Amino acid sequence: MTRLPEHASTDRAELDRLLDGSRVGHFAFVLDEQPVVIPSAIARDGDTVLAHGSTGAGWMRRLADGRPVCLGVTQFEGLVVARSAFESSMLYRSAVVFGCCAVVDDPVEKRSALDLLTSSFLPGRVAEVREPTKKELAATLVLRLPLDEWSLKVSADYPEDPADDVAGPAWAGIVPLHASYGAPAPAPDLSTGIDVPASVRALVDG
Amino acid sequence: MTRLPEHASTDRAELDRLLDGSRVGHFAFVLDEQPVVIPSAIARDGDTVLAHGSTGAGWMRRLADGRPVCLGVTQFEGLVVARSAFESSMLYRSAVVFGCCAVVDDPVEKRSALDLLTSSFLPGRVAEVREPTKKELAATLVLRLPLDEWSLKVSADYPEDPADDVAGPAWAGIVPLHASYGAPAPAPDLSTGIDVPASVRALVDG
């Protein structure tokens, strides 16, 4: 059920679809000769991937110093149920990006990057909230990883059982996994009379 | 929308819940001083995490040689929508495990580990399929990573906006993300008269 029959792809549009549909990536880096992996919100910006975090976060400062990083982004999209356990696997798309992060210093570029990160999670939200303060911007580190060196794997869509198994009694097929947003829950300290905003309504209505 | 206000937890039961509910992990390791991250199916087995793959897969052989690894497992479970972009974040649970993988060589233990991996994806499936062949077992490498050194982060459940923002007009709350299996699609080469098995029906019915 769990092997990864990997099918490499060099299709940049397919990479972009995966990244644009992914909210979280895993950044790996080396610290004192040891591997470290950290999850982070991500958003694609053209030929780069953006990430951000607190200037006080140790892992952000590690990534920011230009050391080599490896970003893994995986969408688990269901099960490929074969006639045997051996041939069964996951329905998935996965990308690995190698490179070094650059700090986004320019104020205009930084603001635009943060807006893009917000929009990738919740389209329309930027227009509904106040401007970030100078203090908030100063407390935020924005990183940009170029999409220069990457590899992309897309799972087979159906199991490839040997003829003996195909002739047998076991079922085979795909079970897709779907993700969807549920009913929004207002914060306990929300003032009365404030409606769910258009951005959230659009996200939930899908 | 995308920062990670991290709340560390040392609750082993919470770690187990995260791992038991996660199908995919990201293994990081160092190769020629460069970080590499690889997604893999995982399943918790007591105080360890199991992974497996083809003996022909380069990344499996790297992990199998006992070098230090770091496993990241993250569940993205929704949005924490604050009154500002700055305070907004993700609803998530995330674990990082440090250690070295051991190869599961003992035939009985290896078979049991593979059954557990299959069952973690599709409970009941092991009893529905034929036994693995000797050739299949020989072609599969099973790894076990101990849960000795780990850290766990669980996001805040509601935004923590400053008083000025709480008094303002913007909405705040949570938008949960749910994943569910959809209708199974039979393989194109499935013989007629073979029904969807009980394991798949139970998975889809939730």
Side-chain angles (χ1 to χ4, degrees):
Chain A
M1 189 55 50
T2 51
R3 288 182 320 120
L4 294 173
E6 299 182 327
H7 298 243
S9 168
T10 55
D11 183 346
R12 172 60 199 268
E14 180 78 24
L15 174 72
D16 288 357
R17 275 193 295 277
L18 170 60
L19 295 173
D20 292 349
S22 300
R23 300 281 81 78
V24 178
H26 283 80
F27 281 96
F29 58 96
V30 183
L31 180 62
D32 298 334
E33 299 178 30
Q34 303 288 313
V36 180
V37 65
I38 296 285
S40 173
I42 55 164
R44 186 179 67 90
D45 183 18
D47 294 331
T48 68
V49 172
L50 297 170
H52 77 321
S54 165
T55 51
W59 68 272
M60 282 296 289
R61 293 199 305 266
R62 307 295 183 188
L63 297 185
D65 70 11
R67 72 184 67 202
V69 307
C70 181
L71 169 67
V73 178
T74 303
Q75 291 278 1
F76 169 50
E77 296 174 326
L79 307 181
V80 179
V81 181
R83 282 121 176 140
S84 67
F86 182 78
E87 289 293 339
S88 296
S89 60
M90 299 193 297
L91 202 61
Y92 74 97
R93 293 175 298 145
S94 179
V96 173
V97 182
F98 298 91
C100 301
C101 293
V103 177
V104 177
D105 271 328
D106 177 79
V108 173
E109 192 190 345
K110 182 173 178 175
R111 174 63 196 279
S112 156
L114 289 169
D115 285 355
L116 195 151
L117 279 156
T118 298
S119 302
S120 76
F121 276 75
L122 191 46
R125 186 60 176 163
V126 170
E128 295 171 345
V129 293
R130 63 165 172 76
E131 299 276 309
T133 65
K134 279 183 186 174
K135 194 177 167 187
E136 287 172 347
L137 289 171
T140 306
L141 198 55
V142 178
L143 301 176
R144 189 187 290 284
L145 177 66
L147 291 172
D148 289 335
E149 196 184 336
W150 50 270
S151 74
L152 178 65
K153 305 266 171 68
V154 178
S155 66
D157 51 357
Y158 283 105
E160 292 162 11
D161 288 304
D164 276 8
D165 285 334
V166 172
W171 188 83
I174 282 171
V175 189
L177 184 68
H178 303 296
S180 58
Y181 286 99
D189 61 357
L190 186 69
S191 303
T192 51
I194 299 182
D195 289 333
V196 173
S199 63
V200 172
R201 288 201 311 270
L203 189 75
V204 172
D205 294 343
Chain B
M1 191 52 52
T2 52
R3 288 182 321 120
L4 295 174
E6 299 182 324
H7 297 245
S9 168
T10 55
D11 183 345
R12 172 60 198 270
E14 180 79 24
L15 174 72
D16 288 358
R17 275 194 295 278
L18 170 60
L19 295 173
D20 293 349
S22 300
R23 299 283 80 82
V24 179
H26 283 81
F27 281 96
F29 57 97
V30 183
L31 179 62
D32 299 333
E33 300 178 28
Q34 302 288 313
V36 180
V37 65
I38 296 286
S40 173
I42 55 165
R44 186 179 67 90
D45 183 17
D47 294 331
T48 68
V49 172
L50 298 169
H52 78 320
S54 166
T55 52
W59 69 272
M60 283 296 289
R61 293 199 306 266
R62 308 294 183 190
L63 296 186
D65 70 10
R67 73 182 66 202
V69 306
C70 181
L71 169 66
V73 177
T74 304
Q75 291 277 1
F76 168 51
E77 298 175 325
L79 306 182
V80 179
V81 181
R83 282 120 175 141
S84 68
F86 182 77
E87 289 294 340
S88 297
S89 61
M90 299 193 297
L91 203 60
Y92 76 96
R93 293 176 298 145
S94 179
V96 173
V97 182
F98 297 91
C100 301
C101 293
V103 177
V104 177
D105 270 330
D106 176 78
V108 173
E109 192 189 344
K110 182 172 179 178
R111 175 61 197 282
S112 157
L114 289 169
D115 285 355
L116 196 151
L117 279 155
T118 298
S119 302
S120 76
F121 276 76
L122 190 46
R125 186 58 176 165
V126 170
E128 295 171 346
V129 293
R130 63 165 172 77
E131 299 276 310
T133 65
K134 281 183 185 174
K135 194 176 166 185
E136 287 172 348
L137 289 170
T140 307
L141 198 55
V142 178
L143 300 176
R144 189 186 291 284
L145 176 66
L147 291 172
D148 291 335
E149 196 185 336
W150 50 270
S151 73
L152 177 65
K153 305 266 171 70
V154 178
S155 66
D157 51 357
Y158 282 104
E160 292 162 11
D161 288 305
D164 276 8
D165 285 334
V166 172
W171 188 84
I174 284 171
V175 189
L177 183 67
H178 303 296
S180 59
Y181 286 99
D189 61 358
L190 186 68
S191 303
T192 52
I194 299 181
D195 288 334
V196 173
S199 62
V200 172
R201 287 201 312 270
L203 189 76
V204 172
D205 293 344

